[in-house]
mmCIF file of all heavy atoms in Angstrom:
data_model
loop_
_atom_site.group_PDB
_atom_site.id
_atom_site.type_symbol
_atom_site.label_atom_id
_atom_site.label_comp_id
_atom_site.label_asym_id
_atom_site.label_seq_id
_atom_site.Cartn_x
_atom_site.Cartn_y
_atom_site.Cartn_z
ATOM 1 N N SER J 459 -22.806 130.025 -37.437
ATOM 2 C CA SER J 459 -23.576 130.677 -38.498
ATOM 3 C C SER J 459 -24.858 129.898 -38.668
ATOM 4 O O SER J 459 -24.882 128.682 -38.489
ATOM 5 C CB SER J 459 -22.768 130.718 -39.807
ATOM 6 O OG SER J 459 -22.460 129.408 -40.211
ATOM 7 N N PRO J 460 -25.933 130.595 -38.986
ATOM 8 C CA PRO J 460 -27.206 129.923 -39.094
ATOM 9 C C PRO J 460 -27.205 128.930 -40.238
ATOM 10 O O PRO J 460 -26.467 129.089 -41.221
ATOM 11 C CB PRO J 460 -28.205 131.053 -39.336
ATOM 12 C CG PRO J 460 -27.407 132.235 -39.672
ATOM 13 C CD PRO J 460 -26.002 132.018 -39.242
ATOM 14 N N HIS J 461 -28.038 127.921 -40.125
ATOM 15 C CA HIS J 461 -28.160 126.963 -41.223
ATOM 16 C C HIS J 461 -28.990 127.582 -42.340
ATOM 17 O O HIS J 461 -29.780 128.489 -42.116
ATOM 18 C CB HIS J 461 -28.727 125.630 -40.741
ATOM 19 C CG HIS J 461 -30.068 125.738 -40.110
ATOM 20 N ND1 HIS J 461 -31.221 125.902 -40.813
ATOM 21 C CD2 HIS J 461 -30.433 125.675 -38.806
ATOM 22 C CE1 HIS J 461 -32.244 125.957 -40.001
ATOM 23 N NE2 HIS J 461 -31.794 125.827 -38.777
ATOM 24 N N ASP J 462 -28.799 127.092 -43.513
ATOM 25 C CA ASP J 462 -29.474 127.640 -44.681
ATOM 26 C C ASP J 462 -30.643 126.786 -45.151
ATOM 27 O O ASP J 462 -31.199 127.050 -46.190
ATOM 28 C CB ASP J 462 -28.468 127.793 -45.834
ATOM 29 C CG ASP J 462 -27.350 128.733 -45.501
ATOM 30 O OD1 ASP J 462 -27.617 129.919 -45.329
ATOM 31 O OD2 ASP J 462 -26.214 128.254 -45.398
ATOM 32 N N ASP J 463 -30.956 125.738 -44.394
ATOM 33 C CA ASP J 463 -31.961 124.786 -44.839
ATOM 34 C C ASP J 463 -33.287 125.447 -45.173
ATOM 35 O O ASP J 463 -33.769 125.392 -46.282
ATOM 36 C CB ASP J 463 -32.228 123.716 -43.768
ATOM 37 C CG ASP J 463 -30.979 122.915 -43.492
ATOM 38 O OD1 ASP J 463 -30.047 122.955 -44.308
ATOM 39 O OD2 ASP J 463 -30.929 122.239 -42.447
ATOM 40 N N LYS J 516 -31.011 126.435 -30.746
ATOM 41 C CA LYS J 516 -30.725 125.271 -31.608
ATOM 42 C C LYS J 516 -31.538 125.324 -32.904
ATOM 43 O O LYS J 516 -31.097 124.754 -33.908
ATOM 44 C CB LYS J 516 -31.012 123.988 -30.820
ATOM 45 C CG LYS J 516 -29.977 123.768 -29.696
ATOM 46 C CD LYS J 516 -30.372 122.720 -28.692
ATOM 47 C CE LYS J 516 -30.504 121.352 -29.256
ATOM 48 N NZ LYS J 516 -30.728 120.343 -28.188
ATOM 49 N N PHE J 518 -31.767 127.738 -34.804
ATOM 50 C CA PHE J 518 -31.024 128.541 -35.753
ATOM 51 C C PHE J 518 -29.676 127.946 -36.148
ATOM 52 O O PHE J 518 -28.961 128.517 -36.955
ATOM 53 C CB PHE J 518 -30.795 129.955 -35.175
ATOM 54 C CG PHE J 518 -32.056 130.743 -34.995
ATOM 55 C CD1 PHE J 518 -32.704 130.762 -33.784
ATOM 56 C CD2 PHE J 518 -32.596 131.465 -36.038
ATOM 57 C CE1 PHE J 518 -33.881 131.475 -33.600
ATOM 58 C CE2 PHE J 518 -33.762 132.182 -35.876
ATOM 59 C CZ PHE J 518 -34.395 132.201 -34.652
ATOM 60 N N LEU J 519 -29.325 126.805 -35.544
ATOM 61 C CA LEU J 519 -28.000 126.233 -35.752
ATOM 62 C C LEU J 519 -28.046 124.893 -36.488
ATOM 63 O O LEU J 519 -28.983 124.118 -36.285
ATOM 64 C CB LEU J 519 -27.316 125.979 -34.405
ATOM 65 C CG LEU J 519 -26.945 127.171 -33.574
ATOM 66 C CD1 LEU J 519 -26.409 126.729 -32.218
ATOM 67 C CD2 LEU J 519 -25.920 128.036 -34.300
ATOM 68 N N PRO J 520 -27.025 124.610 -37.275
ATOM 69 C CA PRO J 520 -26.906 123.268 -37.831
ATOM 70 C C PRO J 520 -26.742 122.256 -36.682
ATOM 71 O O PRO J 520 -26.179 122.594 -35.627
ATOM 72 C CB PRO J 520 -25.644 123.336 -38.684
ATOM 73 C CG PRO J 520 -25.331 124.774 -38.852
ATOM 74 C CD PRO J 520 -25.945 125.501 -37.699
ATOM 75 N N SER J 521 -27.204 121.069 -36.879
ATOM 76 C CA SER J 521 -27.190 120.069 -35.809
ATOM 77 C C SER J 521 -25.787 119.736 -35.301
ATOM 78 O O SER J 521 -25.629 119.309 -34.153
ATOM 79 C CB SER J 521 -27.908 118.787 -36.256
ATOM 80 O OG SER J 521 -27.258 118.252 -37.392
ATOM 81 N N VAL J 522 -24.769 120.005 -36.092
ATOM 82 C CA VAL J 522 -23.390 119.741 -35.667
ATOM 83 C C VAL J 522 -23.040 120.548 -34.412
ATOM 84 O O VAL J 522 -22.167 120.138 -33.637
ATOM 85 C CB VAL J 522 -22.397 119.976 -36.812
ATOM 86 C CG1 VAL J 522 -22.309 121.462 -37.162
ATOM 87 C CG2 VAL J 522 -21.025 119.409 -36.479
ATOM 88 N N HIS J 523 -23.699 121.674 -34.160
ATOM 89 C CA HIS J 523 -23.410 122.521 -33.001
ATOM 90 C C HIS J 523 -24.333 122.251 -31.805
ATOM 91 O O HIS J 523 -24.113 122.824 -30.738
ATOM 92 C CB HIS J 523 -23.529 124.000 -33.386
ATOM 93 C CG HIS J 523 -22.510 124.430 -34.395
ATOM 94 N ND1 HIS J 523 -21.142 124.347 -34.193
ATOM 95 C CD2 HIS J 523 -22.662 124.986 -35.611
ATOM 96 C CE1 HIS J 523 -20.497 124.809 -35.248
ATOM 97 N NE2 HIS J 523 -21.397 125.197 -36.137
ATOM 98 N N HIS J 524 -25.312 121.435 -31.965
ATOM 99 C CA HIS J 524 -26.285 121.206 -30.912
ATOM 100 C C HIS J 524 -25.660 120.668 -29.629
ATOM 101 O O HIS J 524 -26.082 121.000 -28.521
ATOM 102 C CB HIS J 524 -27.410 120.289 -31.384
ATOM 103 C CG HIS J 524 -28.322 120.957 -32.351
ATOM 104 N ND1 HIS J 524 -29.501 120.391 -32.756
ATOM 105 C CD2 HIS J 524 -28.265 122.146 -33.025
ATOM 106 C CE1 HIS J 524 -30.108 121.167 -33.639
ATOM 107 N NE2 HIS J 524 -29.357 122.247 -33.805
#
Side-chain angles (χ1 to χ4, degrees):
S459 59
H461 58 76
D462 298 294
D463 299 343
K516 290 167 63 173
F518 294 95
L519 294 174
S521 60
V522 68
H523 295 302
H524 289 189

